[in-house]
Amino acid sequence: MALKNIPMTSLERRSLALLSSIYAMRLTGLFVILPIFALYAHKLKGNTPLLMGLALGAYGLTQALLQIPSGMLSDRIGRKPVIAGGLIIFAIGSLIAGSTGSIWGVIIGRAIQGAGAISAAIMALVADLTREEQRNKAMAVVGMTIGATFILSLTIGPVLDGLIGVPGIFMLTAILSGIAVAVVLFLVPKPVRVLKRQKRSARADFAKILTNFQLLRLDAGIFVLHLVMTAIFVVVPQVIVRYLGLGASRQWELYLPIMVGGFIAMVPFLMMASRKRRTRVVLTGAITLLVVTQLVFYFLNQTAIGLITGLFLFFAAFSLLEAMLPSLVSRIAPIESKGAAIGVYSSSQFFGAFTGATLAGALYGAYGIGAVFLATTGLLVVWWILAVTMSEPKLLASRQLRVGEQTPSAAEHLARKLSGIPGVAEAIVIAEEGVAYLKIDRHLLDEKSLEQFAVS
């Protein structure tokens, strides 16, 4: 039967909740130290402004370098082994960063943290465990989780710093990472996923992704978004101390109400974007809002109203874009290379974070705060131009088929048979649920062949 207005299954909800929580924990390693690391770095041996920026961004650099191979590896050996392995590497890096007294030790630890590059595999597994008509909702939930993690991290970072210090925060993330490994291995379902694909080399799949200009626009967008985010938090916390008199331990009092308000404000626009032919309008509108925020920061960063207005608009636009972009990638990505496509996207995201921290540190040191906001404004204008030229993605339809309870081996065999039916682009069989989730082309689908596998 065709799927129309059907809610998520219990398995989809459980999978999404577990994977979103793991994704949030990983991103906490990037976000939670943003408002506090500059002050902490002064206590480390060998610290300089440049090395401080490198320590802040090293996480993003190794994430960027390894997201693509991680995503491609997950296409071949499975999502769960890649995710569990990445979490273990992340824990090791956290322990190193938390036990050192030198800036170089933190740089090494942060780089190892980032080497556990699992964002692409997590997002691909979310796509594997949700039906096509639920996928936009699922990716939006992941994106909103990122936004909520951003809000929570900036709020609790100063609080945790006062309670356990930055080294304690690193140790805490290591413990949480160990718990997440158990969650992945024992609680997250494993889908049987077989794709109908031609025999192709990894290089051919990769080349296909890099020549998809729709995907490249999204990759450029997430790069700029996270560049702007990290660049802002190299300088804004210092501006808040200077002009509002709020030290690091009290800045959460400013961030929390503003971020919550911005998060709530973006929800109606996220709902609007889900309507047909409205995605590009909302996307370009959010980018325009980001441009406005940078100009507000540039002209009014020495005033309370300028800082509060700029932060509110920034958090609203940032949360909206973080919710939209993963969904768009999932919709546009080639079916047979989804993990690799999401890997490129995630790599761009984290390379943007690294570049933003490094660039902002260099510009701030050489030319002052205003230069940072001028640079981010220029990059956002380039992204706006790319977004305006983007077309709405085309969607395949979805079909749910009751196939009865299956053993894992039988489910895999059935998935192969279903994927061979004309018009079936992808077949995912969840053994414990007894359901096959199909992505289909309605114009090519052989209905009679498909119905032979249905169980009443």
Side-chain angles (χ1 to χ4, degrees), residues 261-275:
F263 188 78
I264 294 173
M266 73 88 180
V267 172
F269 296 97
L270 182 62
M271 296 174 63
M272 182 186 302
S274 65
R275 299 173 184 172

Side-chain angles (χ1 to χ4, degrees), residues 54 67 71-72 90 99 118 162 187 232 234 281 331 337 365-366 406:
L54 183 59
Q67 283 298 336
M72 297 180 73
F90 175 79
S99 60
I118 60 172
L187 296 181
I232 283 177
V234 168
V281 172
R331 290 163 62 182
S337 304
Q406 305 283 322

Side-chain angles (χ1 to χ4, degrees), residues 94-337:
S94 299
L95 292 174
I96 293 173
S99 60
T100 184
S102 74
I103 188 67
W104 282 106
V106 175
I107 291 172
I108 293 171
R110 290 281 287 170
I112 294 175
Q113 276 187 320
I118 60 172
S119 297
I122 290 176
M123 292 174 69
L125 185 54
V126 169
D128 291 345
L129 289 169
T130 53
R131 294 159 290 167
E132 178 69 17
E133 73 285 347
Q134 300 291 347
R135 197 156 298 153
N136 290 341
K137 184 191 302 181
M139 290 298 177
V141 169
V142 172
M144 293 176 71
T145 299
I146 295 171
T149 301
F150 184 65
I151 294 172
L152 182 63
S153 296
L154 294 185
T155 302
I156 68 172
V159 176
L160 289 175
D161 184 32
L163 295 174
I164 58 178
V166 173
I169 293 174
F170 283 128
M171 295 300 179
L172 178 60
T173 57
I175 294 172
L176 293 176
S177 184
I179 295 173
V181 171
V183 171
V184 170
L185 294 179
F186 300 111
L187 296 181
V188 175
K190 179 180 179 180
V192 179
R193 182 173 183 269
V194 178
L195 302 182
K196 192 163 56 175
R197 66 164 80 192
Q198 299 176 348
K199 292 184 178 179
R200 308 159 56 97
S201 66
R203 181 177 298 180
D205 284 339
F206 191 60
K208 183 177 180 179
I209 292 167
L210 292 182
T211 55
N212 187 319
F213 292 105
Q214 291 282 79
L215 284 175
L216 290 178
R217 288 182 176 91
L218 298 177
D219 297 335
I222 196 64
F223 170 84
V224 174
L225 183 62
H226 277 252
L227 183 154
V228 172
M229 183 269 293
T230 53
I232 283 177
F233 283 96
V234 168
V235 294
V236 166
Q238 301 179 61
V239 175
I240 293 174
V241 171
R242 185 182 306 172
Y243 297 111
L244 297 186
L246 290 177
S249 63
R250 294 190 57 204
Q251 289 190 8
W252 68 270
E253 299 173 13
L254 175 67
Y255 292 138
L256 181 59
I258 291 176
M259 287 188 293
V260 171
F263 188 78
I264 294 173
M266 73 88 180
V267 172
F269 296 97
L270 182 62
M271 296 174 63
M272 182 186 302
S274 65
R275 299 173 184 172
K276 189 175 181 181
R277 301 183 185 277
R278 302 300 296 176
T279 298
R280 187 174 62 180
V281 172
V282 176
L283 180 68
T284 54
I287 300 170
T288 302
L289 190 59
L290 284 180
V291 174
V292 172
T293 67
Q294 303 311 294
L295 295 177
V296 170
F297 283 138
Y298 179 76
F299 289 107
L300 300 174
N301 69 79
Q302 298 182 18
T303 68
I305 189 171
L307 286 171
I308 293 172
T309 300
L311 286 171
F312 174 79
L313 296 178
F314 173 78
F315 289 135
F318 180 86
S319 299
L320 177 58
L321 290 165
E322 281 284 11
M324 290 180 61
L325 292 176
S327 175
L328 288 172
V329 171
S330 178
R331 290 163 62 182
I332 295 173
I335 297 171
E336 70 276 12
S337 304

